[in-house]
Amino acid sequence: MLQVFHNANFPLMGRTKIVFFLISTTAFLASVGTILTRGFNYGIDFAGGTAVQLKFLQPPHVEQMRAALEKGGLGDISIQQIGDVADHEVLIRVEEQTVKAGGSKSEGGEISTEIIEVLRKGLGAGGGLSGQIDLNLVTEVDLKDWLTSHLPAPAQGTAGTDAGAMAHAVIGYRTAHGGLIADAGGLATIAGLPGEAAALLRQQGILGPFTVRSVEFVGPTAGKELLQNTLYAVLGSVVGILFYVWLRFHKWMWGLTSVIALVHDVVIAAGAVSLTGREFSLPVVAALLTILGYSINDTIVVFDRIRENLRLYRDRDFEEVVNASINQTLSRTILTSFTVFIAIMALYLYGGDKLDPLSFCLLVGVVFGTYSSVFVASALLVVAFRRLGAKYVKA
């Protein structure tokens, strides 16, 4: 079996544990202070609002877009480039509190339409003759209606070349080319699109600079309920783990120390997300729950070895037994954490902007989850034994 340390005997539970307690207390209080003062950069899942993802033909000019949207009077807007630079994709978020001139709040669909129209005008793509259609923005249904009204009946009379089939063929061609049509000449190559229809689209069609990849709307009530359910999920997990460890080791103190270590890990990971201003979204919630599961798994391994050694060496000092147990599991702890760390690091480096908050939160959580299993949960057991005696601690 691969071992990082052979016959490890580090004095981890002596006076050294005071240093680790100071580190943990400092990191925990700093995280709580950051969360209380800075708060979280809530994503649309929690804050409510509208998110529109756009893909551009050319590299997007974020400052030009920001200036155009500010002139449009849409309120607080955030613009973020996502994915690889070559993808030319932008995520635009408008918070839910955007209010129309009449005093009523705009609906998500209205806001997304306003964003698109403001950008088309601001980027010089809103002009054109009456009756023209933007082939990079039009939906299949709208294109079908447009073809029906602009093509003469004979052009739609042949089987398989009705307006619906032609619209489907054009949208399929656009999708196959990354969601954008860059050259109108390619319309002539679309199977199922008659030459007359292709010519009409080349004459009256506009190739806009961007297309809509997705539109997401979350109402304020749903956002608040989701945030409340997130708190319930985290608290429920902690309480469930507390009872599981209590039943497994037959002493409530073991459950309490493990839960204190879990809270320590989650708060520090959440504090790191708050400090760096990363978006707090559903993937981050998933990361926090994953940290809970990972941390308790490592703690259980250490606790199991402590319990086994307590039965084997009943006459030895409790602190000495705990220290020996930690040293015996140290190689396993480091190797397991290192392999998990490598996987998460790959996700952090290559997962893109969408997965950055999740992978960052997991990185912090895995590091502190490993640390807390040794220097928080186990150390607290030693402190409890010194303060309360064997009755409450020895399993």
Side-chain angles (χ1 to χ4, degrees), residues 116-117 120 131-147 166-168 170-172 174-175 179-181 187 201 204-208 210-213:
I116 294 168
E117 289 303 315
R120 289 186 65 197
Q132 287 187 320
I133 187 168
D134 190 334
L135 296 178
N136 283 330
L137 280 176
V138 68
T139 64
E140 185 172 331
V141 173
D142 290 340
L143 182 56
K144 173 187 174 184
D145 294 340
W146 188 89
L147 289 170
M166 287 186 282
H168 182 74
V170 173
I171 299 302
R174 188 177 73 185
T175 302
L180 286 162
I181 300 175
L187 296 172
L201 289 175
Q204 300 195 38
I206 301 172
L207 299 181
F210 62 85
T211 188
V212 178
R213 301 287 275 179

Side-chain angles (χ1 to χ4, degrees), residues 181-225:
I181 300 175
D183 182 10
L187 296 172
T189 65
I190 299 177
L193 185 67
E196 184 178 354
L200 179 65
L201 289 175
R202 286 198 302 271
Q203 293 170 6
Q204 300 195 38
I206 301 172
L207 299 181
F210 62 85
T211 188
V212 178
R213 301 287 275 179
S214 65
V215 176
E216 183 181 3
F217 172 69
V218 177
T221 303
K224 291 178 181 178
E225 289 180 354

Side-chain angles (χ1 to χ4, degrees), residues 230 234 265-267 269-270 273 280 283-293 361-362:
T230 297
V234 174
D265 301 338
V266 170
V267 169
V273 173
F280 190 90
V284 172
V285 175
L288 294 176
L289 293 175
T290 302
I291 291 168
L292 285 175
C361 186
L362 284 175

Side-chain angles (χ1 to χ4, degrees), residues 282-355:
L282 284 178
V284 172
V285 175
L288 294 176
L289 293 175
T290 302
I291 291 168
L292 285 175
Y294 176 83
S295 181
I296 193 62
N297 175 70
D298 205 30
T299 302
I300 290 296
V301 171
V302 178
F303 277 12
D304 265 335
R305 183 57 59 90
I306 293 173
R307 181 174 60 176
E308 291 172 5
N309 286 335
L310 284 174
R311 292 172 178 173
L312 290 174
Y313 309 104
R314 296 180 180 275
D315 297 331
R316 293 179 65 177
D317 180 69
F318 183 81
E319 182 176 307
E320 185 180 346
V321 172
V322 172
N323 192 80
S325 301
I326 293 172
N327 278 282
Q328 290 167 16
T329 57
L330 196 58
S331 288
R332 181 264 180 202
T333 298
I334 292 176
L335 288 172
T336 302
S337 300
F338 182 66
T339 54
V340 174
F341 186 84
I342 290 175
I344 299 173
M345 180 58 73
L347 189 65
Y348 177 71
L349 294 176
Y350 305 109
D353 294 333
K354 279 285 190 180
L355 295 178

Side-chain angles (χ1 to χ4, degrees), residues 216-296:
E216 183 181 3
F217 172 69
V218 177
T221 303
K224 291 178 181 178
E225 289 180 354
L226 194 57
L227 185 59
Q228 187 179 55
N229 290 338
T230 297
L231 295 175
Y232 289 156
V234 174
L235 291 175
S237 300
V238 170
V239 171
I241 290 171
L242 172 63
F243 279 102
Y244 166 75
V245 179
W246 183 2
L247 293 174
R248 183 182 177 93
F249 295 98
H250 309 294
K251 294 290 182 180
W252 63 267
M253 185 56 67
W254 292 59
L256 180 61
T257 54
S258 64
V259 164
I260 291 174
L262 292 182
V263 172
H264 163 276
D265 301 338
V266 170
V267 169
I268 290 177
V273 173
S274 174
L275 180 64
T276 56
R278 284 175 164 82
E279 182 180 271
F280 190 90
S281 57
L282 284 178
V284 172
V285 175
L288 294 176
L289 293 175
T290 302
I291 291 168
L292 285 175
Y294 176 83
S295 181
I296 193 62

Side-chain angles (χ1 to χ4, degrees), residues 11-22 319 375 379-380 382-383 386:
L12 302 176
M13 289 294 107
R15 294 183 178 179
T16 310
K17 68 176 180 292
I18 299 175
V19 176
F20 296 123
F21 277 148
L22 289 175
E319 182 176 307
F375 302 115
L380 285 174
V382 174
V383 172
R386 298 295 186 210

